[in-house]
Amino acid sequence: MTSLASRSGTAPAPASAPGGAAASPAAPRRAVAALLLYAGVRALGVVVLALWGLADGKGPLRLLSARWDSLWYARIAEDGYGYTLHLAGGKVHSDMAFFPLLPWLERGLSAVLPLSAGEAGLVVSAVAGLFAAWGIFAVGERLHGRRAGLALVGLWAALPVGIVASMAYSEALFTALAAWSAYCVLTGRWVGAGSLAALAGLTRPVGAAVVAAVWITAAVTLLRRHRRGERGAPPLRLLLGVLLAPLGWLAYFAWVGVRTGSVTGYLDVQGGWGNGFDGGLAFGSFVGERLAGPAWPAGIALLAGVALVVWLYVAGARRGQPLPLLVFSGTVLLLALTAKGYFGSKPRLMMPAFPLLLPPAVALARLRTVRAAAVLTTVALASAVYGAFWLHGSGPP
């Protein structure tokens, strides 16, 4: 049985990780292969997108930086908050649904470089994606060795919705902050974990998942100290990390509340978009309608997808995945599966939950190098084709 110390993720690191890895998997030189792997997979996705666009008459730059959510982020970067779109049927789309960190970065970058806000968003996503890959590799190598860390990065880069990491969206930025916050928790760097959680809370609503990972792991760590009979005040750095973690998320909720004149302002804004939380009833109804109609294969595929992510989560828990990773990925899944709204976005909403990929990454790492490379190449090609098909569709990812 996994000990409470290892499950909390704050136990001292061994002198070397499994597989002979050095004790500092966050060292930049150790991550070079992971960064090259990530960049190669994402470059493949963009190339396939561009080739597809030759036949469809759509350039990759517009698809990646000037459609759907990327337009909202760019408008905020250029003009600030305050844009509202009134639609038929009573829906009210306010730009306050979008958290501010990505638009802030877009504005700052476009102010110093000859880039539009959308183009600046692509640069932010490209750089953030590399930092996300580095953080994911650091987590994977710390837990299961270098090969597993590389496999984890490859699988995350080649997710079916992986093309989003190459768009002017906030997923790459959020995943980078979440991965490094998780790594800081795993290594006992509480101030770093809390600071990164605060930034994640300024990036997406699901920043609450990063806060939960910091808070719950800190609570378990303090409980363990109590059970060991340790006396004295809790570590100051741990307390500071706990205090820092929710500040970004709470600050934006409070700002929207003041702006709208309502304590529930942000929830009201999301409601105007048709979003909210209903325990999964709307999603269940959506799946049921497809199962009962001519689109029943799509319904079965949706059920299979949900079953897969739940199985991956349970598999990670059974194999002793550290508590901060379980809390983070579990909260991301819970928020994604219990939310109503545009159901085509659910795979994208679950994309930051990289710890779900640890079980298949470990299995892939056990294969011979040639076989592992063949598997990753096949998955990356499938992801590239699916991403091109997805972005040439009619609905937002």
Side-chain angles (χ1 to χ4, degrees), residues 68-271:
W68 305 311
D69 290 5
S70 58
L71 291 174
W72 288 87
Y73 284 121
R75 185 181 290 113
I76 295 168
E78 293 169 348
D79 304 323
Y81 284 96
Y83 180 79
T84 301
L85 185 62
H86 295 269
L87 303 176
K91 286 189 176 182
V92 179
H93 290 184
S94 167
D95 59 7
M96 287 186 290
F98 298 91
F99 276 51
L101 187 56
L102 177 58
W104 286 347
L105 294 174
E106 289 180 339
R107 176 180 294 182
L109 197 58
S110 61
V112 298
L113 295 175
L115 299 172
S116 68
E119 292 166 349
L122 292 182
V123 175
V124 172
S125 288
V127 175
L130 291 172
F131 274 95
W134 183 8
I136 290 170
F137 169 76
V139 170
E141 185 181 27
R142 178 179 174 82
L143 297 178
H144 299 290
R146 180 177 176 78
R147 287 175 61 89
L150 289 170
L152 184 60
V153 169
L155 291 174
W156 183 74
L159 284 172
V161 294
I163 191 66
V164 173
S166 299
M167 298 177 69
Y169 272 43
S170 61
E171 271 72 16
L173 177 61
F174 176 77
T175 305
L177 295 168
W180 281 109
S181 180
Y183 181 79
C184 286
V185 174
L186 290 171
T187 55
R189 295 173 170 89
W190 291 103
V191 176
S195 300
L196 291 165
L199 290 173
L202 285 171
T203 308
R204 297 187 61 79
V206 77
V210 189
V211 178
V214 173
W215 276 14
I216 293 177
T217 308
V220 171
T221 300
L222 293 176
L223 178 62
R224 188 174 74 242
R225 283 169 50 89
H226 175 73
R227 288 180 174 176
R228 289 202 303 257
E230 296 183 21
R231 298 182 179 181
L236 180 60
R237 290 183 175 274
L238 184 149
L239 295 179
L240 183 55
V242 167
L243 290 174
L244 287 171
L247 292 185
W249 193 82
L250 290 176
Y252 188 67
F253 265 68
W255 180 82
V256 174
V258 172
R259 187 78 175 258
T260 59
S262 171
V263 175
T264 60
Y266 185 77
L267 299 179
D268 297 337
V269 167
Q270 286 286 1

